[in-house]
Amino acid sequence: MSGSSRPRAAVIGGGIGGLTTAIALRRRGWEVVVFEETENVAVGAGITLWANGLAALDAVGVGDAVRSASRDLTSVRILESTGRQLMRQTSAPGEIVALHRRDLNAALLAALPADVVRTSTSATVLDAGSGIVDADGTECHYDLVVAADGVHSATRLRWWPDAGGERDCGIRTWRTVIAGTHEALTVWGPAGECGILPLPDDTTYVFAASRGRARDEGLAYFDDWAAPVPASLAKAEVMITHDLTDLDPVRNPVMGRTVLIGDAAHAMRPHLGQGAGLAVEDAVVLAAHCSSSGGFDGAGFAAARRRRWATVGWLARRATTVMMPTNRFVGLAHRVMPLLPDRLLANEAGRVANWRP
C-alpha cells in the first residue's frame, strides 16, 4: 500500500480503454496502477478514430498527440466489389483519422509516468465488492477496480456470470499494414468487406473480413475483387487474423468497487469503427463520476453509458448485413445507394460520432 492519501485505482488491462482510464483518473487526483499481462502494449495494426473518440482524447489532454501521429480521412470512396462506386464519405479535417495502433498506444503511454503501467503482470479480482485484487501473488485493496480486460474478460466471466461470454459473429478478419500510400477506400461485397486506409509515414492499413462460406476460402475469396484489393492484400508480410466475437452490453457494469468498461462490457463488431471510440468515451465518463476524495457514482456511470452501448452495438450488427450481405435481397441496398445523396448516408454515421464529453 502507498502512503499517499489520494484514492487508489487498479486498472486491469493496458489497452486503449485501460490506458485512457488511467490518464483520466490521474487528472481527477487519483493514484492509479495498470496491470497488463502481456509484455508490450504498443502493438497492433491500424485503427480509425472518429470525432467522438478524438473529443474524448482531447478531454484527457492527448488529442493533439494522437492527431499528430494520424492521417486525416477527409474523403473515403465506398465501392462495390465490382469496382462500382456506391458513395463518397467526406469529413472535415480532424473528424476521422487513421493511425497505427502502436502509435495510439504510445501516445497514451507517454501521458503516464513510467511506473504506472506494469506489464507482464496478471491481475485477478478476488472481491469485486470490496475492490481486492491479486497481482502476481500480491493482494491489495483499491478504492476502485476498472476491468478493461477485453472481450475475453476474466473479470466479467467470474463476477458477472449471468452476462455470459462472447458469441461468435461468424466473421473472420485479416489486418495488416503495408508499405506505400493508397487512396482511402472501403469495398463492400457479397459476404465480405475490405478497407484500404492511408497512414502516416508512407504506409497503408489494409483489412478484410468475410463470413459464411466465404470465410472458409480465406483471403483467396478476394482474388476476383476490383483493384486494388487483391494486390493490397498480397503485399502483406504479416497478417493478423481473428474470428470475431461480440457481446450484448452488460446492463449493470458496476459491482461494488469494480466496474467493466470497453470490450469487457460491450464488445461490438468493427464495421462502424467505434470500438476504440467507445472505450475512450467510457474512460472519460467514468472519471467524471469519480471524486477526488475517492467517491464513485457507479449508478450514474451505468445510466450514462447503458443506452449508448446498446445503440452503437445494435447499429454495428445491422451494418454487417449492409456492408457484406449474404443474400440478393439485402444486396439490393447496394443498387439503391448510388441514387441517394452522399450527405444523407453520411449523416447516419455522423449521428454516432456526434457524442461529446
Side-chain angles (χ1 to χ4, degrees):
M1 293 288 290
S2 164
S4 171
S5 62
R6 294 186 297 163
R8 302 181 70 238
V11 178
I12 301 176
I16 295 167
L19 294 176
T20 308
T21 298
I23 298 168
L25 285 175
R26 282 178 53 82
R27 290 169 66 93
R28 298 285 286 178
W30 286 57
E31 185 177 333
V32 185
V33 60
V34 178
F35 299 115
E36 168 55 42
E37 64 180 2
T38 66
E39 183 179 356
N40 183 10
V41 301
V43 295
I47 195 168
T48 58
L49 284 170
W50 290 57
N52 56 303
L54 292 167
L57 292 173
D58 285 336
V60 296
V62 296
D64 288 344
V66 170
R67 288 185 184 88
S68 69
S70 304
R71 179 79 175 260
D72 268 322
L73 298 179
T74 54
S75 178
V76 180
R77 285 202 300 144
I78 299 176
L79 310 179
E80 202 172 31
S81 56
T82 60
R84 187 175 68 108
Q85 180 167 311
L86 298 175
M87 62 175 288
R88 182 184 294 272
Q89 176 182 295
T90 59
S91 60
E95 287 189 352
I96 308 175
V97 302
L99 71 163
H100 203 294
R101 185 180 291 263
R102 69 168 181 237
D103 293 335
L104 173 56
N105 287 352
L108 297 172
L109 283 169
L112 292 167
D115 61 349
V116 167
V117 181
R118 302 180 188 177
T119 56
S120 302
T121 304
S122 296
T124 302
V125 179
L126 299 180
D127 189 324
S130 300
I132 299 175
V133 173
D134 178 299
D136 279 356
T138 300
E139 293 184 19
C140 195
H141 168 270
Y142 295 91
D143 298 291
L144 181 66
V145 179
V146 182
D149 46 350
V151 64
H152 306 299
S153 172
T155 309
R156 184 189 71 247
L157 291 173
R158 179 173 181 178
W159 294 103
W160 281 262
D162 292 341
E166 68 275 15
R167 59 177 170 242
D168 183 9
C169 298
I171 301 171
R172 183 164 296 157
T173 64
W174 296 265
R175 295 177 294 123
T176 190
V177 174
I178 62 175
T181 299
H182 297 262
E183 177 191 7
L185 298 170
T186 299
V187 187
W188 301 347
E193 176 192 12
C194 183
I196 301 170
L197 303 175
L199 302 178
D201 301 323
D202 194 32
T203 58
T204 297
Y205 172 39
V206 180
F207 65 86
S210 61
R211 63 181 180 137
R213 285 179 291 181
R215 178 174 72 167
D216 299 330
E217 295 183 39
L219 290 175
Y221 177 69
F222 300 94
D223 285 349
D224 62 352
W225 282 36
V229 170
S232 297
L233 292 171
K235 279 187 175 183
E237 296 181 1
V238 177
M239 190 70 76
I240 301 172
T241 305
H242 289 294
D243 286 333
L244 293 184
T245 57
D246 66 2
L247 177 77
D248 283 332
V250 178
R251 180 162 181 78
N252 185 4
V254 179
M255 183 178 297
R257 295 183 182 273
T258 302
V259 57
L260 301 171
I261 71 162
D263 282 353
H266 51 77
M268 66 187 64
R269 303 180 186 196
H271 306 302
L272 299 181
Q274 284 294 340
L278 258 65
V280 295
E281 286 182 22
D282 289 350
V284 171
V285 176
L286 175 66
H289 286 82
C290 294
S291 69
S292 58
S293 61
F296 171 51
D297 178 10
F301 170 77
R305 299 306 290 159
R306 188 176 291 128
R307 179 173 293 183
R308 175 72 169 166
W309 294 348
T311 299
V312 181
W314 184 87
L315 289 171
R317 289 193 298 274
R318 299 288 77 77
T320 299
T321 59
V322 174
M323 296 179 179
M324 41 200 300
T326 55
N327 65 67
R328 62 189 182 91
F329 297 106
V330 178
L332 289 174
H334 289 188
R335 303 300 176 196
V336 175
M337 274 186 188
L339 306 178
L340 300 176
D342 288 352
R343 183 181 297 275
L344 175 64
L345 296 170
N347 283 346
E348 292 304 307
R351 290 180 183 178
V352 176
N354 282 341
W355 180 94
R356 294 295 181 272

